[in-house]
């Protein structure tokens, strides 16, 4: 057994966990719907690397100081075992049939394993201290990877959402970075993510008006999309990707034309977070994905700078 390899395994798992928790904190809707969401309940990442038939071969190959033919061959066997045991590797989903007429089939990866695969890739960026490195790595490797078209679309959508979040401009004009404060996550301003641009709050001071709100277009668009309740039917919808919430306006609360009822503001603060005096009640015209068709509606929601937008509902269908 090798102390060096044990240390590497522990650090790698820690960095995979760092990536997962970063997504959990900064892009929570990417993992919305995953049962029992959480690191320990979702993954037992790379547990098989502690099995003797993997451990010894990996240890000898990376830390034994010997790349003889026998060592390389044992490592290759261990790597093949690892791929078949761990569905977060894309190679796990490549089926090579016995019948040459059936050939090679690329199977779509379940979403949970896509998330784990991206966190696995991203772990090396965390180890290097450069969270942007994963995008260059993916560009260099994507043409080699055999991914189902739907899997590739999801992978690139998630990477795009991560990249956008990392590139967000902070309120003082600097990039989101680690601030060196113990316990503070990358991309988090010493607390929850800040999904509302401060300009929205500043602009709301003039008659409550704000700039149009863009609904991102990507596979991971729900990270910037929202559940919208239709009170009449009790059903929930989403905005159509690539559209905008037009003519948004604060009509009650901070920057609005009237005060938000104290019991409402305090209830929102208690249930969701933020300061009661900073909550806003907003409205605008949104384009709803109505069973695959675009349909406009007046929508209302609540928002607070530190915790984002919540409790969207359809006030009136416009078509």
């Amino acid at each position: 057994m090798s102390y060096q390899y044990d240390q590497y395994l522990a650090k790698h798992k820690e960095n995979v966990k760092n990536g997962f928790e970063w997504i959990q904190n900064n892009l929570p809707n990417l993992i919305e719907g995953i049962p029992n969401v959480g690191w320990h309940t979702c993954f037992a990442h790379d547990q098989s690397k502690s099995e003797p038939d993997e451990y010894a071969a990996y240890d000898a190959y990376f830390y034994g100081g010997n790349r003889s033919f026998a060592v390389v061959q044992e490592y290759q066997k261990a790597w093949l075992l690892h791929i078949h045991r761990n569905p977060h590797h894309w190679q796990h989903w490549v089926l090579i049939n016995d019948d040459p007429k059936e050939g090679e089939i690329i199977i779509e990866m379940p979403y949970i394993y896509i998330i784990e695969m991206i966190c696995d890739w991203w772990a090396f960026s965390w180890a290097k201290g450069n969270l942007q490195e994963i995008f260059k790595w993916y560009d260099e490797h994507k043409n080699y990877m055999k991914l189902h078209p739907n899997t590739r679309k999801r992978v690139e959508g998630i990477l795009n959402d991560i990249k956008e979040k990392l590139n967000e401009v902070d309120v003082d004009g600097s990039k989101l970075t680690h601030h060196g404060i113990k316990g503070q996550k990358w991309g988090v301003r010493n607390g929850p993510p800040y999904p509302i641009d401060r300009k929205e709050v500043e602009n709301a001071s003039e008659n409550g008006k704000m700039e149009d709100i863009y609904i991102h277009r990507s596979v991971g668009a729900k990270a910037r999309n929202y559940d919208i309740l239709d009170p009449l039917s009790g059903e929930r919808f989403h905005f159509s990707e690539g559209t905008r919430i037009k003519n948004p306006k604060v009509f009650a609360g901070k920057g609005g034309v009237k005060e938000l009822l104290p019991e409402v503001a305090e209830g929102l603060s208690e249930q969701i977070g933020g300061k009661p005096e900073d909550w806003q009640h907003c409205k605008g015209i949104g384009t709803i994905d109505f069973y695959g068709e675009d349909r406009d509606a007046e929508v209302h929601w609540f928002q607070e700078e530190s915790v984002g937008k919540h409790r969207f509902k359809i006030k009136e269908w416009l078509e």
Side-chain angles (χ1 to χ4, degrees):
M1 297 180 70
S2 163
Y3 173 78
Q4 286 177 298
Y5 186 50
D6 288 343
Q7 289 294 103
Y8 163 76
L9 276 179
K11 193 63 179 177
H12 176 65
K13 291 179 181 180
E14 180 184 339
N15 284 327
V16 176
K17 184 181 179 182
N18 285 338
F20 178 78
E21 290 184 341
W22 187 96
I23 291 172
Q24 195 173 31
N25 288 328
N26 293 279
L27 297 169
N29 286 333
L30 281 182
I31 52 178
E32 192 176 66
I34 296 176
N36 302 317
V37 66
W39 172 252
H40 294 292
T41 53
C42 285
F43 308 126
H45 185 78
D46 277 357
Q47 211 166 27
S48 70
K49 284 185 177 178
S50 297
E51 296 293 328
D53 53 2
E54 288 188 34
Y55 183 98
Y58 274 83
D59 186 20
Y61 183 81
F62 289 107
Y63 298 101
N66 174 13
R67 291 287 177 91
S68 68
F69 176 80
V71 168
V72 172
Q73 195 170 47
E74 288 303 308
Y75 165 72
Q76 290 172 342
K77 290 177 183 177
W79 171 229
L80 188 63
L81 277 173
H82 183 76
I83 290 169
H84 288 303
R85 287 169 171 168
N86 293 273
H88 67 271
H89 290 286
W90 61 265
Q91 296 94 327
H92 183 92
W93 301 94
V94 179
L95 173 62
I96 302 174
N97 287 290
D98 288 338
D99 190 339
K101 292 181 181 179
E102 295 178 0
E104 188 177 82
I105 297 175
I106 312 300
I107 300 173
E108 186 173 355
M109 288 180 70
Y111 187 74
I112 183 66
Y113 297 130
I114 295 175
I115 292 290
E116 186 177 1
M117 178 172 68
I118 288 173
C119 292
D120 190 31
W121 296 344
W122 205 14
F124 298 97
S125 301
W126 283 83
K128 294 176 182 178
N130 176 12
L131 298 194
Q132 301 276 357
E133 185 266 348
I134 186 175
F135 310 117
K136 180 182 178 183
W137 181 90
Y138 178 73
D139 285 340
E140 292 172 348
H141 290 79
K142 63 182 179 182
N143 293 334
Y144 165 74
M145 294 178 186
K146 295 179 179 180
L147 300 174
H148 186 281
N150 291 342
T151 299
R152 188 177 298 278
K153 189 176 181 183
R154 282 181 165 182
V155 165
E156 293 181 355
I158 293 166
L159 289 175
N160 182 63
D161 283 349
I162 292 172
K163 189 173 187 177
E164 285 186 359
K165 193 68 178 177
L166 287 172
N167 288 336
E168 275 186 8
V169 178
D170 202 344
V171 293
D172 62 358
S174 63
K175 297 292 183 183
L176 287 174
T177 56
H178 193 282
H179 296 275
I181 301 171
K182 185 177 181 180
Q184 186 172 342
K185 306 296 183 185
W186 281 83
V188 180
R189 302 183 187 88
N190 200 20
Y194 282 58
I196 297 180
D197 192 324
R198 183 173 290 275
K199 290 181 180 177
E200 292 183 20
V201 179
E202 293 172 349
N203 292 341
S205 63
E206 300 177 8
N207 299 319
K209 293 182 179 179
M210 300 184 292
E211 295 180 357
D212 287 358
I213 300 165
Y214 181 62
I215 305 299
H216 286 243
R217 183 190 300 278
S218 74
V219 174
K222 288 184 180 179
R224 299 287 182 88
N225 212 324
Y226 307 92
D227 282 331
I228 312 160
L229 174 66
D230 179 7
L232 293 178
S233 67
E235 295 186 74
R236 292 184 181 274
F237 299 90
H238 292 98
F239 292 108
S240 297
E241 296 177 14
T243 63
R244 296 177 183 273
I245 303 176
K246 293 170 284 190
N247 303 320
K249 182 177 182 180
V250 178
F251 65 90
K254 184 177 181 179
V257 295
K258 62 179 182 179
E259 292 184 2
L260 191 60
L261 292 174
E263 59 268 29
V264 173
E266 290 170 7
L268 289 166
S269 180
E270 182 178 342
Q271 295 167 27
I272 301 173
K275 299 177 181 178
E277 63 269 22
D278 288 343
W279 275 98
Q280 302 170 311
H281 195 177
C282 308
K283 64 180 179 180
I285 306 301
T287 302
I288 310 296
D289 182 356
F290 188 77
Y291 304 110
E293 296 183 2
D294 289 347
R295 188 174 176 187
D296 286 346
E298 180 182 329
V299 292
H300 287 207
W301 70 94
F302 294 97
Q303 67 180 37
E304 199 270 353
E305 182 186 357
S306 67
V307 295
K309 302 176 179 65
H310 295 268
R311 298 190 179 176
F312 279 81
K313 71 176 180 179
I314 295 167
K315 185 70 173 179
E316 180 183 3
W317 291 104
L318 301 180
E319 296 179 358

